[in-house]
Amino acid sequence: VPEVRAVELIPGRGIRCIDQTRLPRELVTLELGDLDGVCEAIRSLRVRGAPLLGIVGAAGMAMAAERSDASDVALEQAAAALLATRPTAVDLGHAVRRALAAARAAGQSADRRRQALWRFATELLEAQRASDSALAAHGAALLNERGSVLTHCNTGALATGGLGTALAVVRELWQRGFLERCYATETRPLLQGARLTAWELVQEGIPVPLLPDGAAASLLASGRVAAVFVGADRIARNGDTANKIGTYALALAARRHRVPFYVVAPSTTFDPECPDGGAIPIEFRSAEEVLSFQTCRAAPEGAEAYNPAFDVTPAELIDGIVTEHGVLRPPLAAAIERLNDVLTGRAIH
Ligand code: MRU
């Protein structure tokens, strides 16, 4: 099985990453060495997926420090530029703020700050890899007989820098002999499912029927799907979850047909500052993405577009959130509070 490395850190210099806009036609590796390049790559989805955005954001802070005096002002400007690229995935904001704190904690020396920033980015990537493996095992235990699953968008190695989140669960189920096939939505308008998820699964020999997003409800009604596994971009304190546009519709259809609906996300995707889904900022993207298919204009001149990149699935439609610390079960607000206590060291074991 070829191992996909979505990102590689080159401390002191920059990063090497797969240009995800070129897949599956070409596997092109980009080298990014400055903040502008990183911001452009994030905005245009060359790099994408909540946990990967965190790692690339942290590396972007290190690159900004390499190319400046690494002063508070320079680093705060870099942080602001990174935070302005994409608003919904909280991993990016968390990583950039933690990077800033790590730089400050290293003192005033520019070299020490640079080293601290590279160390932080490296540790974040290592932690993500470890957490993805733990997620995969917890998630795979949710299926107690062989069956097929449905997933949305891309939550694989391309989205995290490790094994992935929901797609790591899929791979684990396959390795355990529990998976028949992984249905994947094409994920309009940018086709992360058709281009990226199908690419990852085909490489691993996992059967992947692709479906137009609009076919998901009838697929769930057909009884072919044992469970739905999706990722997350931000999870509020009450369990409301922002993820790729179309996730909410999947959750509604899954509940109607009594198919378990699971979110798979590392603890970096929880936002303790966010009380509920109404407080999650939703990114709207350009009309062009909807009015055209890839670069070919599909809609008549004069048509408008409604193009939110994410939606919020209410907590009540989620049967469990798989984290690296185990599966959170409803009532999710209480389970998330307990997780936060563990993470902040407040819990007594
Ligand atoms: O717009 P994208 O491609 O960055 O959106 C990605 C998703 O919505 C993923 O499902 C989410 O980030 C979880 S990835 C492990």
Side-chain angles (χ1 to χ4, degrees), residues 207-276:
V208 53
L210 265 178
L211 52 132
D213 296 7
S218 70
L219 173 69
L220 288 162
S222 76
R224 288 179 170 86
V225 173
V228 181
F229 287 98
V230 298
D233 285 83
R234 190 186 296 239
I235 302 173
R237 279 206 307 273
N238 72 343
D240 290 354
T241 294
N243 190 48
K244 177 56 54 193
I245 191 72
T247 304
Y248 176 32
L250 289 182
L252 284 168
R255 178 58 55 90
R256 172 67 178 77
H257 296 290
R258 298 196 175 82
V259 177
F261 182 90
Y262 299 115
V263 169
V264 187
S267 51
T268 49
T269 304
F270 289 76
D271 185 359
E273 309 291 314
C274 202
D276 57 43

Side-chain angles (χ1 to χ4, degrees), residues 313-328:
T313 299
E316 70 198 72
L317 297 178
I318 299 171
D319 294 297
I321 304 182
V322 181
T323 77
E324 71 273 33
H325 299 286
V327 181
L328 310 185

Side-chain angles (χ1 to χ4, degrees), residues 48-51 86 153-155 159-160 165 192 231-233 243-244 310:
R48 45 147 300 281
R86 297 193 73 192
C153 195
N154 171 266
T155 62
T160 71
T165 57
Q192 288 93 331
D233 285 83
N243 190 48
K244 177 56 54 193
F310 301 95

Side-chain angles (χ1 to χ4, degrees), residues 66-86:
E66 292 288 348
R67 293 184 168 239
S68 71
D69 59 3
S71 62
D72 283 359
V73 173
L75 294 180
E76 277 159 19
Q77 275 173 2
L82 284 161
L83 293 177
T85 53
R86 297 193 73 192

Side-chain angles (χ1 to χ4, degrees), residues 80-100:
L82 284 161
L83 293 177
T85 53
R86 297 193 73 192
T88 304
V90 76
D91 295 64
L92 177 61
H94 278 161
V96 166
R97 285 190 198 95
R98 286 175 63 202
L100 202 52

